[in-house]
Amino acid sequence: MKEVPPMILVSNQLVGAPVGTNVTIDCQTEAHPKAIIYWMFGDVMILSSNKHYTEILDSSYKVHMKLTVNNLQSDDFGTYRCISKNSLGETEGTIRLYEIIMPSASSRKWETKINQFNREGT
C-alpha cells in the first residue's frame, strides 16, 4: 500500500450537551504507516479514566476514535482535539463541546402560563 500522511474527518465539529449528562464525540482518521492517535483538551492529553472513556475502532489504515465524557461539568466544555501522527506528518481535528441550558421547572411553568394566556387572548 502507498504511504499516506494522516488525514482526519470530523463529522460533527460542534456538539452540545447539558451539565450532568454523558456525551460522546468522534473522529475518523486514515494513515499509512499506522498513526499514533490520541485526544487533547487544552494542553492535556486525555487518558481513559472514570471521567473520560476512549475507544478506538481499528480497520487496517482507517481508525474511528471515540471519546465519552461522563457527568459533564462546566469545566468540561471547550475545544477537544483528536490528533493523528505518523512518520509522514501530523494532523488534528477539533470539536467544540458547548453547554445546552435546560429550562428549569419554574421557567417551564411560566412558559406554560404565558402560552395559555396568549391562546386565551389579551
Side-chain angles (χ1 to χ4, degrees):
M1 174 175 192
K2 183 179 155 192
E3 292 192 340
V4 180
M7 294 179 289
I8 285 186
L9 171 67
V10 178
S11 55
N12 205 354
Q13 294 180 319
L14 190 60
V15 177
V19 166
T21 61
N22 300 343
V23 68
T24 300
I25 55 177
D26 67 316
C27 289
Q28 295 180 47
T29 182
E30 296 181 11
H32 185 76
K34 194 172 187 71
I36 296 169
I37 55 175
Y38 54 94
W39 289 95
M40 298 281 294
F41 182 64
D43 295 329
V44 180
M45 182 188 291
I46 297 174
L47 303 173
S48 279
S49 65
N50 290 338
K51 181 70 179 173
H52 300 103
Y53 173 71
T54 57
E55 185 178 7
I56 295 172
L57 308 168
D58 201 337
S59 63
S60 69
Y61 65 96
K62 292 185 181 184
V63 177
H64 189 167
M65 305 167 59
K66 292 184 179 187
L67 172 67
T68 301
V69 184
N70 295 312
N71 188 22
L72 283 171
Q73 298 303 310
S74 58
D75 59 351
D76 295 320
F77 297 106
T79 302
Y80 289 79
R81 295 180 294 142
C82 51
I83 297 173
S84 180
K85 294 181 184 184
N86 73 5
S87 57
L88 302 175
E90 172 182 343
T91 191
E92 69 179 47
T94 59
I95 299 170
R96 179 112 180 110
L97 181 58
Y98 69 94
E99 181 179 357
I100 294 177
I101 306 294
M102 298 301 287
S104 66
S106 60
S107 70
R108 282 195 297 270
K109 283 181 198 171
W110 277 109
E111 286 173 15
T112 303
K113 287 182 182 189
I114 291 168
N115 290 337
Q116 184 177 7
F117 180 76
N118 286 338
R119 280 195 305 273
E120 292 170 359
T122 52

